Amino acid sequence: MLRRLLERPCTLALLVGCQFAFVAYFSLGGFRNLTSLFGRAAGPVFDYTRTHDVYANFSRLQPPAARLDADPAQPPPYCPERSPFLVGPLTVSFSRVPTLEQIQAKNPAVQPGGRYQPAACEARARTAVIVPYRNRESHLGYLLYYLHPFLQRQQLQYGIYLVHQAGNGTFNRAKLLNVGVKEALKDEEWDCLFLHDVDLIPENDYNLYTCDPWNPKHVSVAMNKFGYNLPYSQYFGGVSALTPDQYMKINGFPNEYWGWGGEDDDIATRVRLAGMKIVRPPVSIGHYKMVKHKGDKGNEENPHRFDLLIRTQRMWTQDGMNSLTYTLLAKHLHPLYTNLTVDIGSDPRAGRSRQGPGREGQRYRSSNSPFREEMLRKLPGLGDLRLALSPRLPTAGNGTRGTAGSAGGVTQRSPEVTGDGGSPAGAEGTLPTHGYNQSWPPGPR
């Protein structure tokens, strides 16, 4: 009887249909992603025709007088799980570029280096925002103007790091992010690393700048550039968030993508190969507005990106944090951000020499670094991945010196970098390798 039942066409069609549904369910990432293909994903609804000024009622974030007079020996209570200061959709306008002095006046609670922590409660999350940068002064003004109050409304402890690529060579976004992560984790035990393009402004403060504890999070889900839609399912560009453990698990970002394009898809592949998946906030929350701009000189389309993507599965454990080399030329704590001016070398395909006169800097070899060893201990199952940096010859550039001081700090002189938003020439400061630095370098740039 069973044999006759299986021979019926309708039964065979039903079995084939069940097999197809089973394969589709798992290949598309389960029920959540499968339902998103056939209907609108569940999530809150916001009216973006009615927006709020990000600085509206900003004085409410300041602690009451009773809290200021509280016993300093008593630790403050934890901040609520959801901040009461969130307002939803924000008004984002690019009509006039604010000056750094104006932004500083509007954010009096921000400490040198772009650091902030709530005064009335203990933050539940510590987030480092890392921005790769060069020649984007107006974009930086917009980002700082909107991002500082945005993060304060979320009651986060945070710091903003600007990783400035020195020189005029080909831009390397992913390598700059690797440098920013390494330097930021020397300062603080950050819970979350937000990797943030300088030209993207968040439009909803319900888009929390915290990490998912299990998987890397792609945050800029709906950009006006793409009609507020996700361009494709594995897109990981713009703004993303990973815990330090997740970042090390994928061996950081690739170092070999010089120019525009390719690194985002490489990172998405690394996430999958490391046994994780990409998570996202709802489209209605992950809104971003991009500052319009023309193509950057030195950041032209990478003609080798497809060749590099083909190699990702074979090379991801060899190209990343464990192959990172760079020279830290200067570290300055400006009133609104920490500026890291770095020499990351040059594109080997460009045929330019990597050696030049007059540049000395602080080289890092982290095979013996306590930070690297600690990160390795935190990441069981990483196999043969050893996050050790091998030094390279200095790259050509303007004269800069950086000498290691005592165990407590590094004394550095800023480079004379042309038009890249670096620190002014001749500014000096003694910077501790851990914790906060209260010194203010001369002149924000």
Side-chain angles (χ1 to χ4, degrees), residues 142-162:
Y142 291 129
L143 181 67
L144 296 174
Y145 179 85
Y146 288 106
L147 193 58
H148 273 298
F150 174 92
L151 296 172
Q152 292 172 53
R153 286 187 177 278
Q154 297 183 6
Q155 294 185 305
L156 300 176
Q157 179 180 340
Y158 70 85
I160 296 179
Y161 291 83
L162 199 70

Side-chain angles (χ1 to χ4, degrees), residues 283-344:
V283 172
S284 60
I285 288 180
H287 273 224
Y288 282 80
K289 184 174 287 188
M290 177 178 283
V291 186
K292 291 183 179 181
H293 59 90
K294 298 180 181 179
D296 299 324
K297 184 178 180 181
N299 194 27
E300 292 82 9
E301 190 174 89
N302 181 2
H304 308 288
R305 62 189 186 279
F306 298 113
D307 296 332
L308 292 169
L309 284 170
I310 293 173
R311 301 168 51 216
T312 301
Q313 188 160 353
R314 185 176 76 254
M315 297 296 296
W316 73 281
T317 58
Q318 303 171 44
D319 175 24
M321 291 297 283
N322 61 348
S323 64
L324 175 66
T325 61
Y326 65 96
T327 304
L328 178 63
L329 302 177
K331 178 178 180 179
H332 286 160
L333 303 189
H334 292 289
L336 296 170
Y337 60 91
T338 297
N339 184 81
L340 304 169
T341 302
V342 295
D343 173 12
I344 59 172

Side-chain angles (χ1 to χ4, degrees), residues 178 247-256 266-267 269-275 308 311-324 376 381-389:
N178 280 342
Y247 199 86
M248 297 303 171
K249 192 174 181 181
I250 66 171
N251 192 20
F253 285 7
N255 297 314
E256 301 303 323
D266 187 299
I267 297 161
T269 302
R270 289 170 181 247
V271 171
R272 176 178 58 82
L273 293 173
L308 292 169
R311 301 168 51 216
T312 301
Q313 188 160 353
R314 185 176 76 254
M315 297 296 296
W316 73 281
T317 58
Q318 303 171 44
D319 175 24
M321 291 297 283
N322 61 348
S323 64
L324 175 66
L376 286 172
L382 202 55
D384 295 330
L385 191 60
R386 290 294 177 265
L387 305 179
L389 310 182

